[in-house]
Amino acid sequence: MLAWTVDHTSPSHLSLGEMPDPAPGPHDAVIQVQAFAPNHGDLEGLPSLPDGTIPGWDAAGVVVAEAADGTGPRLGQVVASLGPDGAWAQRRLVTAESVGVAPAGADPNAMSVVPVAATSALRGLRRLGPVLGRRVLVVGGTSVVGLFAVQLAARAGAEVVATTRNPAARERLVELGAHEVVASPSDLDDDVSGVLDLLGGSHLVRAFARLAPGGTLVALGHVAGEEERFTYGDLFGDSGRHDRSLTTFFLGAEANIGPDMTWLATRIHEGRLDPVVGAVRPWRELPDAFAAGTERTYGKTVLTID
Ligand SMILES: NC(=O)c1ccc[n+]([C@@H]2O[C@H](COP(=O)([O-])OP(=O)(O)OC[C@H]3O[C@@H](n4cnc5c(N)ncnc54)[C@H](OP(=O)(O)O)[C@@H]3O)[C@@H](O)[C@H]2O)c1
């Protein structure tokens, strides 16, 4: 099969070439990959992976061989799959625990964004508890995870506030379900019950200051690349600031995500959740799609396999 592999002699750390097909164990099904969607972590991790590794966490495709132990998806099903590597190739191994099963006829491009981006947004929001009738702040609303979080929180009955530095993105965020769009957590009129933070740094510190008593901030992302500096008093728990908590999140530590991926894939297929695909390119253009200076659109860049 053809696959992208890590090649540190190349400026992109990648080269496309022939590799042996993956050898399934008894618990592995095999999918023919039709689309994959690289994540921040995939791209940042390339320089530290050994030569010859097939990278990639997220892939969507069709099952071409079922697992010998009878578990997992059935032949011909379209699945969204998550794994530690192996996605950027024509074929990939998947297990029952690592797939969401999409409805027949689902668009693989849309399904490829489910594993990391959509599932992280869903699991991160769950940490906030019930959000019906509560104000929820998504810091970094235009990040891919943020675009899903805005939609999911709104559908769960929250009054959603999203941040973006870009005034032109306001309309898109409102279309996805945001009730209010601000440049920074400091611009909020009222405090919020929960925060999903994709940016970290000073954004996280300012968002924590806007948490109502009993509220939770989930630190999910760190796009800003800044340190978090709390100053004396920021963590006081006096009247009006008591019982606020901050928790970290890692999708890789989340158990039993298959049913949630299936739920997300189904909602996307039904048109009830926007897959926020920003660009679709042939997979042979993978290094160009993420090269420095490449113009980015909001949403996920998806690579399709011929
Ligand atoms: N913990 C986990 O398990 C987990 C899982 C998934 C993702 N993540 C993390 O979640 C984060 C979001 O991932 P993503 O793929 O959704 O991100 P993304 O789409 O690349 O987010 C980009 C957005 O962040 C904003 N941004 C970029 N640089 C910024 C800066 N210096 N200061 C402030 N805002 C900035 C921009 O919004 P505006 O231009 O609109 O302001 C931009 O649209 C990443 O850190 C990722 O690694 C973690």
Side-chain angles (χ1 to χ4, degrees):
M1 66 172 180
L2 268 181
W4 283 103
T5 56
V6 174
D7 173 2
H8 295 304
T9 64
S10 153
S12 66
H13 296 277
L14 288 168
S15 66
L16 184 64
E18 275 298 328
M19 290 291 284
D21 270 24
H27 195 52
D28 298 316
V30 183
I31 65 167
Q32 185 78 32
V33 179
Q34 296 174 316
F36 60 85
N39 296 289
H40 264 286
D42 282 311
L43 299 165
E44 281 163 12
L46 285 179
S48 54
L49 289 176
D51 268 320
T53 308
I54 301 174
W57 299 339
D58 290 14
V62 177
V63 177
V64 289
E66 295 179 9
D69 67 2
T71 60
R74 303 288 102 189
L75 207 60
Q77 281 183 322
V78 177
V79 299
S81 90
L82 176 66
D85 52 32
W88 302 350
Q90 288 178 313
R91 276 174 287 285
R92 179 192 213 187
L93 302 181
V94 303
T95 67
E97 294 76 22
S98 65
V99 294
V101 178
D107 171 15
N109 294 348
M111 296 304 123
S112 71
V113 304
V114 165
V116 169
T119 310
S120 296
L122 183 152
R123 286 294 177 102
L125 283 173
R126 274 211 192 123
R127 298 281 185 94
L128 302 181
V131 295
L132 179 62
R134 294 187 167 146
R135 262 164 81 77
V136 167
L137 172 64
V138 180
V139 182
T142 58
S143 70
V144 181
V145 178
L147 293 168
F148 275 113
V150 166
Q151 297 183 72
L152 291 168
R155 276 149 192 73
E159 181 186 326
V160 182
V161 189
T163 74
T164 172
R165 298 167 303 177
N166 178 6
R170 185 183 181 282
E171 201 177 322
R172 175 75 171 132
L173 287 165
V174 169
E175 180 187 288
L176 292 177
H179 299 81
E180 195 179 331
V181 179
V182 293
S184 157
S186 310
D187 299 334
L188 292 178
D189 292 336
D190 284 322
D191 287 348
V192 295
S193 301
V195 178
L196 195 71
D197 176 44
L198 289 323
L199 301 182
S202 58
H203 307 271
L204 180 151
V205 174
R206 288 199 294 268
F208 192 80
R210 303 313 310 263
L211 259 189
T216 300
L217 182 152
V218 179
L220 198 150
H222 312 277
V223 175
E226 298 170 355
E227 289 178 7
E228 286 83 23
R229 287 175 188 266
F230 287 95
T231 55
Y232 183 72
D234 285 349
L235 301 180
F236 277 16
D238 52 351
S239 176
R241 295 192 288 175
H242 51 283
D243 296 316
R244 297 171 298 156
S245 55
L246 190 163
T247 184
T248 53
F249 176 91
F250 177 48
L251 181 65
E254 294 285 306
N256 196 26
I257 58 172
D260 284 339
M261 290 205 293
T262 297
W263 186 85
L264 289 162
T266 305
R267 292 300 164 288
I268 289 172
H269 178 66
E270 292 169 347
R272 292 158 71 184
L273 205 55
D274 187 317
V276 300
V277 172
V280 179
R281 298 186 61 161
W283 75 311
R284 289 167 199 273
E285 295 178 8
L286 172 61
D288 298 338
F290 296 98
T294 307
E295 198 178 317
R296 302 275 152 80
T297 52
Y298 282 130
K300 197 92 178 161
T301 297
V302 171
L303 286 304
T304 54
I305 297 192
D306 42 56

